[in-house]
Amino acid sequence: MSSVSISTNNLVIGYQPVSSVSSGRQVIVQSGLNFSLNEGELVCMLGPNGCGKSTLLRTLAGLQPPLGGSFMLGRQKSDAPKSELSRQVALVLTERLSMDHTTVHDVVSMGRYPYTSFLGGLTEEDERIIAGSLEAVGFDLSSLNTHQSLFNAHSDGEKQRILIAKALAQQTPIILLDEPTAHLDLPHRILVLRLLNRLAHEQSKTVVISTHELDLALALSDKILLMQPSGNGHEARFYLDTPDRLRASNAFQEAFGMDIFNPLG
């Protein structure tokens, strides 16, 4: 039986606008989040813009504090030191990265920083993990000199796989990805989602992604975390279940405010 890797307890997520720091005003995006995710699962987060997908990922990754409630990453509480959280969760953000003069090896080795010495030196074991992470995402190291191959010389799809390799090199039980297919064409979107599905199952990791790829999420995810924003008289809420069960219910229609499976209707 799979172990719970992420659990929330009345979690409240949101942010504090820069203009409101002195007043302490907070903008709550979602509240009362109570759910559990298991190891070995690919979970896709779906929902309209503004429902809190990215905010939830950044909160779980420790980049912004919860506004209320708490969460657990394995046995680590949400208020654990960042050094401890960095050994539990790796985060891949959606921003397009342009890193001049940075090699593939440089990028993936960043995933080893939570484990390196003060000077950042890499051991033979670190190098083995870096190489294994690149192989796990489909790179042929016999034809790729990672110390000379520049990150910017690769296609968007290859860059995304390199960033996933960086997350793998961090050797965390949880990987969070914010729209990892946002800048990719259809074939690469499929390849990346298939890769994440395989990594979750073969390496028993909890992989959580925010995405707008409804068709791929329905086909490849183990569970869907569907989030509904507040507005039009509705409170923000969420649904968590298998794709088949959510599709058989009215959850998608309620979250998106329309029948997204019948766009001509």
Side-chain angles (χ1 to χ4, degrees):
M1 184 175 180
S2 298
S3 299
V4 173
S5 60
I6 301 175
S7 61
T8 65
N9 180 26
N10 290 322
L11 181 64
V12 182
I13 61 171
Y15 57 92
Q16 187 175 36
V18 175
S19 60
S20 303
V21 172
S22 59
S23 66
R25 184 173 72 88
Q26 297 176 330
V27 176
I28 294 175
V29 179
Q30 289 274 353
S31 62
L33 291 171
N34 292 286
F35 62 81
S36 298
L37 305 180
N38 298 325
E39 63 180 24
E41 289 183 338
L42 172 62
V43 180
C44 287
M45 297 171 55
L46 295 171
N49 290 335
C51 67
K53 298 186 298 294
S54 296
T55 303
L56 177 57
L57 290 181
R58 295 175 67 87
T59 301
L60 293 175
L63 296 186
Q64 61 189 77
L67 301 185
S70 62
F71 62 87
M72 296 278 291
L73 302 177
R75 296 182 179 179
Q76 293 291 340
K77 296 182 180 180
S78 52
D79 57 357
K82 288 186 178 181
S83 60
E84 294 298 327
L85 291 179
S86 67
R87 298 191 180 206
Q88 290 293 320
V89 58
L91 176 66
V92 180
L93 294 174
T94 190
E95 287 89 350
R96 300 185 77 161
L97 298 179
S98 179
M99 294 183 279
D100 295 332
H101 312 299
T102 304
T103 68
V104 171
H105 181 272
D106 292 336
V107 174
V108 181
S109 67
M110 294 176 189
R112 298 305 301 156
Y113 285 177
Y115 309 95
T116 56
S117 64
F118 176 75
L119 297 176
L122 297 173
T123 65
E124 290 185 6
E125 176 67 8
D126 291 323
E127 294 290 358
R128 184 190 65 78
I129 292 170
I130 291 168
S133 299
L134 281 164
E135 289 179 332
V137 299
F139 282 97
D140 180 5
L141 299 188
S142 65
S143 60
L144 176 66
N145 186 333
T146 62
H147 286 80
Q148 294 184 3
S149 179
L150 295 177
F151 178 77
N152 279 354
H154 292 269
S155 68
D156 285 342
E158 290 171 332
K159 286 180 179 178
Q160 195 61 58
R161 285 194 288 138
I162 292 167
L163 293 175
I164 294 172
K166 170 181 170 288
L168 287 177
Q170 198 170 330
Q171 290 197 315
T172 59
I174 301 166
I175 300 178
L176 310 177
L177 304 99
D178 191 10
E179 297 194 42
T181 60
H183 307 299
L184 307 182
D185 59 18
L186 179 58
H188 283 95
R189 294 203 299 270
I190 294 173
L191 289 174
V192 167
L193 265 295
R194 282 179 176 173
L195 168 64
L196 294 173
N197 176 282
R198 177 171 59 82
L199 293 174
H201 294 166
E202 292 182 359
Q203 299 192 17
S204 296
K205 293 183 181 293
T206 303
V207 180
V208 184
I209 71 171
S210 67
T211 182
H212 292 285
E213 309 284 356
L214 174 63
D215 50 346
L216 295 180
L218 290 171
L220 293 170
S221 64
D222 298 295
K223 289 181 181 176
I224 289 177
L225 179 59
L226 180 61
M227 304 178 75
Q228 173 183 313
S230 60
N232 298 322
H234 298 288
E235 292 185 358
R237 61 177 301 184
F238 75 98
Y239 313 80
L240 175 66
D241 212 328
T242 63
D244 289 343
R245 289 175 181 170
L246 284 179
R247 185 166 184 173
S249 69
N250 291 323
F252 285 100
Q253 184 170 347
E254 292 178 8
F256 287 94
M258 63 179 295
D259 185 359
I260 58 176
F261 299 109
N262 184 25
L264 297 179

